[in-house]
Amino acid sequence: MPGLFRWSTFSRLLCLAITFSSAVLLYSSPGHAALTINGTRIIYDSHKRSVSVIISNPSKRPFAVQTWINTELDDTTTAVPFMPTPALFRLNAGKEQYVQINQWPHTLPNDRESVFYFNVQEIPQSKSSNTGVLNIAMRTRIKFFYRPTSIKNPADTHLKHLQWAVKKMDGHYYLEAHNPSPYFISFASLELRFNGQKESPTNPAMAAPFSRQLYRLSAFKPTADALVTFSSINDYGGVSPPLTAAITSAD
């Protein structure tokens, strides 16, 4: 099983890192890691046999590198139908490595996107003279979208079809985004304007296909002229032009 394979290689990688030093595993954004990935997200179109990712090491030291794909739960046991190859390798200073991602037989929905996460973990190579030195194992995690061929129109053409409302539940107001499209929508910005005030949810979660996503508000007061302004992240990591929409309802 893929999950069992990942746990086994992960254990061996940790053993390599702590032979002469202690290892600490930390999650990192791409900007804080030593290794770089040639993109901020991966799109796997279903008709393709595989997709490739380039991992580069612009630093002056070698790393042991592990790659794997998992779900939003970020566990090592849930099996996923994608396998990166190589899953474990050494990357010398100034070099790069192509990682090929292949799909296994699966029953993912064919009317909407599915989302997973591509992980790159870097562990500095230890030297025998570094006894007692703390080596930090950094991990970069980016979104991996599986896109069926039945989805024809570009994702950004569906932004204008988002429907917005404000709901009150358990004494708190929430901004609700209804996404009627087959795409995941990642917000680069999201701002609610009402009665001369503004409020922006912190790190707004993606709006999943054919679903409703809630964003908790703290300062909102019901008003008839409330507007929401938003932009999204496209397939290439760029940001779409901002759109403004009215709140269709407020409870």
Side-chain angles (χ1 to χ4, degrees):
M1 291 291 291
L4 296 177
F5 172 80
R6 289 195 298 272
W7 178 249
S8 175
T9 55
F10 177 75
S11 300
R12 291 197 297 271
L13 192 57
L14 283 182
C15 290
L16 174 66
I18 63 177
T19 301
F20 297 105
S21 62
S22 299
V24 176
L25 303 182
L26 297 175
Y27 171 75
S28 170
S29 65
H32 294 88
L35 305 183
T36 62
I37 307 172
N38 67 322
T40 61
R41 60 203 52 237
I42 300 171
I43 309 297
Y44 196 124
D45 294 310
S46 63
H47 67 278
K48 295 181 179 179
R49 297 185 59 182
S50 65
V51 296
S52 294
V53 180
I54 303 174
I55 300 175
S56 303
N57 180 8
S59 74
K60 297 181 179 180
R61 54 178 176 168
F63 287 90
V65 184
Q66 185 191 13
T67 64
W68 72 97
I69 296 173
N70 62 6
T71 67
E72 186 177 8
L73 296 175
D74 197 17
D75 60 20
T76 57
T77 56
T78 304
V80 298
F82 301 98
M83 175 64 69
T85 305
L88 183 64
F89 55 91
R90 175 189 171 97
L91 189 56
N92 289 326
K95 300 297 182 180
E96 62 183 28
Q97 173 71 51
Y98 278 80
V99 175
Q100 181 173 294
I101 302 173
N102 297 284
Q103 60 176 310
W104 297 47
H106 58 76
T107 57
L108 295 175
N110 59 17
D111 65 340
R112 68 194 69 188
E113 286 185 327
S114 298
V115 66
F116 300 90
Y117 290 82
F118 177 71
N119 299 267
V120 176
Q121 186 162 280
E122 58 186 54
I123 297 181
Q125 297 289 286
S126 298
K127 298 180 180 180
S128 58
S129 60
N130 284 346
T131 303
V133 174
L134 182 66
N135 280 344
I136 299 178
M138 303 294 290
R139 176 163 65 112
T140 299
R141 195 170 192 241
I142 65 174
K143 293 170 184 174
F144 175 96
F145 296 97
Y146 174 78
R147 183 173 296 169
T149 55
S150 58
I151 302 177
K152 301 297 183 183
N153 298 323
D156 55 6
T157 63
H158 293 270
L159 293 177
K160 60 185 178 182
H161 299 301
L162 285 172
Q163 300 167 16
W164 301 91
V166 171
K167 305 289 186 180
K168 187 175 183 180
M169 297 181 294
D170 301 324
H172 297 285
Y173 283 103
Y174 293 83
L175 177 64
E176 179 188 78
H178 175 213
N179 178 13
S181 80
Y183 294 92
F184 280 90
I185 296 178
S186 300
F187 293 105
S189 64
L190 181 59
E191 181 181 81
L192 179 64
R193 289 181 285 165
F194 54 95
N195 197 27
Q197 300 184 63
K198 299 179 181 180
E199 183 170 358
S200 299
T202 303
N203 297 322
M206 287 189 299
F210 307 129
S211 69
R212 300 174 187 271
Q213 177 67 46
L214 295 175
Y215 306 97
R216 183 169 172 172
L217 303 171
S218 59
F220 178 78
K221 298 295 187 295
T223 175
D225 60 350
L227 297 172
V228 60
T229 300
F230 60 96
S231 60
S232 69
I233 303 174
N234 63 29
D235 289 354
Y236 309 100
V239 177
S240 69
L243 295 176
T244 298
I247 302 297
T248 56
S249 64
D251 296 341

